[in-house]
Amino acid sequence: MNHTDIPKQHANSGVVLMNPFRIPIGEAERFEKGWKDCAEFLKTQDGFIKTYLHKALDLEKAHFQYVNYAIWENPVKFQQAIKAMREQGIDKDVNSINNVEFYPSLYKVHLEM
């Protein structure tokens, strides 16, 4: 199962995408431009609520240099938006960075304190 294949029982609840990125040193500017291109497209898609890109204070020491946090109405709408983004090739700039790694997963609140 890839990260966009969401079980149907979770299709009607709000979700959070957490997507940490490991990028090569020196590719920060290129990565940020590609991420912005993706975010601009995704914010036009049905189900999108909000997104944030967090940047490590020390890019060279951090295991992940960036973490994307996004809120979506439900997993199905997220899956549809990602599919549309890929079909249109909007993520090509981020994916063309050599040795870029990313680990997207959807979450929902489990405990609140």
Side-chain angles (χ1 to χ4, degrees), residues 52-64:
Y52 306 88
L53 183 63
H54 301 269
K55 184 176 181 177
L57 297 178
D58 187 336
L59 292 179
E60 292 186 21
K61 290 184 180 179
H63 186 72
F64 296 110

Side-chain angles (χ1 to χ4, degrees), residues 3-19 46-52 68-82 104-110:
H3 74 278
T4 57
D5 294 329
I6 309 300
K8 292 194 185 313
Q9 71 266 28
H10 299 298
N12 293 320
S13 58
V15 295
V16 170
L17 166 72
M18 292 187 197
N19 191 3
D46 186 37
F48 174 87
I49 297 173
K50 188 80 175 166
T51 192
Y52 306 88
N68 176 210
Y69 176 93
I71 305 167
W72 286 83
E73 286 180 17
N74 64 57
V76 171
K77 289 180 179 180
F78 168 76
Q79 181 178 349
Q80 292 168 341
I82 294 299
S105 294
L106 292 178
Y107 297 85
K108 55 190 280 189
V109 173
H110 177 65

Side-chain angles (χ1 to χ4, degrees), residues 18-109:
M18 292 187 197
N19 191 3
F21 292 88
R22 184 177 302 135
I23 62 164
I25 299 301
E27 293 286 6
E29 187 175 317
R30 187 170 159 207
F31 169 78
E32 289 180 20
K33 184 208 175 294
W35 184 88
K36 287 177 188 175
D37 292 344
C38 293
E40 286 296 324
F41 174 79
L42 291 171
K43 74 181 191 180
T44 69
Q45 299 301 292
D46 186 37
F48 174 87
I49 297 173
K50 188 80 175 166
T51 192
Y52 306 88
L53 183 63
H54 301 269
K55 184 176 181 177
L57 297 178
D58 187 336
L59 292 179
E60 292 186 21
K61 290 184 180 179
H63 186 72
F64 296 110
Q65 291 76 24
Y66 293 90
V67 176
N68 176 210
Y69 176 93
I71 305 167
W72 286 83
E73 286 180 17
N74 64 57
V76 171
K77 289 180 179 180
F78 168 76
Q79 181 178 349
Q80 292 168 341
I82 294 299
K83 181 180 178 194
M85 180 182 72
R86 289 185 178 148
E87 287 174 350
Q88 294 183 37
I90 294 165
D91 59 343
K92 69 184 179 323
D93 288 337
V94 169
N95 289 331
S96 71
I97 298 172
N98 288 331
N99 300 315
V100 67
E101 296 177 31
F102 49 97
Y103 304 91
S105 294
L106 292 178
Y107 297 85
K108 55 190 280 189
V109 173

